[in-house]
Amino acid sequence: MSGSFWEYRQEQEALGNSNGLKPFGTKAYYAALQGVGAGIAYGTFNWAYYPDKFAFSHKNTVAAGPSRGMEYLTHTMLRPAVAFTAVGVTYAGVESFLEEVKGSHHKDPWNSAFAGAAAGMVLGGFFTRRFDIASMTALGVGLVMGMVEVNGPNVLCDPVAQEAKKFPSSFSAKFKESDDLSDLKAKYPSYKNN
């Protein structure tokens, strides 16, 4: 791998390893499956944590929740699954749309940032139904998705330099003491053999 992370990404794209660029149908399919899985997991955890039939709203009111049965299952499982699926498909759709509009089929942090903002708007709007919270959710998710796209799957901007820091290219055959360590051993003779 030569150069920076971006050069590596361009080399991989030229070789045919497009790093996740897929047609919209494939993206939407996987986003929908991930959304359904995340929604069912969220609903299951919510169901286990709040097993009572009360519904707590954000305005500190308590109302009788749905009765046990299909209505309760729909309320606790289907609604989160639909919400997470809508968020995932929105992200995939906006990212694919922006790729088509720009005419470039390479991963672009701006595409991810704007797609994350749209997905955040759907997420905030679906759960709170308030524009102020939805807009801040859009801003936060857009920034996070843009930063993730810039840095790739890891938090390092230059993985090659980081690898070089971790694993030096050569090792000395014999350990060489620094001058500071020699001075300390001379100052404290009881630790001379350590």
Side-chain angles (χ1 to χ4, degrees):
M1 189 165 100
S2 64
S4 70
F5 181 74
W6 285 106
E7 291 171 1
Y8 170 72
R9 189 176 251 185
Q10 297 298 330
E11 287 174 10
Q12 291 299 314
E13 187 176 331
L15 293 173
N17 303 329
S18 60
N19 195 14
L21 288 174
K22 294 177 176 48
F24 170 69
T26 307
K27 282 184 182 180
Y29 175 72
Y30 286 122
L33 285 181
Q34 290 171 351
V36 167
I40 288 175
Y42 175 82
T44 303
F45 294 139
N46 192 20
W47 204 2
Y49 196 70
Y50 298 110
D52 54 2
K53 295 194 314 176
F54 297 114
F56 298 94
S57 75
H58 61 279
K59 295 185 179 180
N60 296 326
T61 59
V62 179
S67 62
R68 299 281 191 230
M70 285 308 291
E71 187 180 345
Y72 186 70
L73 184 66
T74 301
H75 181 72
T76 57
M77 294 285 186
L78 187 63
R79 187 170 188 270
V82 168
F84 287 124
T85 301
V87 169
V89 170
T90 300
Y91 180 84
V94 171
E95 187 180 36
S96 293
F97 174 75
L98 290 173
E99 286 172 1
E100 291 296 324
V101 166
K102 289 182 176 181
S104 62
H105 293 285
H106 63 279
K107 293 295 239 177
D108 185 10
W110 290 108
N111 293 349
S112 292
F114 290 129
M121 184 65 92
V122 170
L123 179 69
F126 198 98
F127 285 113
T128 64
R129 294 183 180 20
R130 290 183 51 189
F131 181 75
D132 55 344
I133 294 175
S135 60
M136 289 300 108
T137 306
L139 182 65
V141 173
L143 287 173
V144 167
M145 294 309 295
M147 287 188 291
V148 166
E149 187 61 38
V150 166
N151 289 332
N154 56 7
V155 294
L156 306 171
C157 290
D158 192 4
V160 176
Q162 193 66 22
E163 263 325 286
K165 287 179 188 175
K166 285 182 188 174
F167 301 107
S169 58
S170 64
F171 296 100
S172 60
K174 184 176 184 289
F175 176 71
K176 186 176 180 182
E177 289 184 357
S178 66
D179 293 334
D180 294 334
L181 183 59
S182 300
D183 292 342
L184 284 172
K185 284 187 175 183
K187 188 175 182 180
Y188 301 104
S190 59
Y191 297 103
K192 188 173 186 178
N193 294 329
N194 288 347

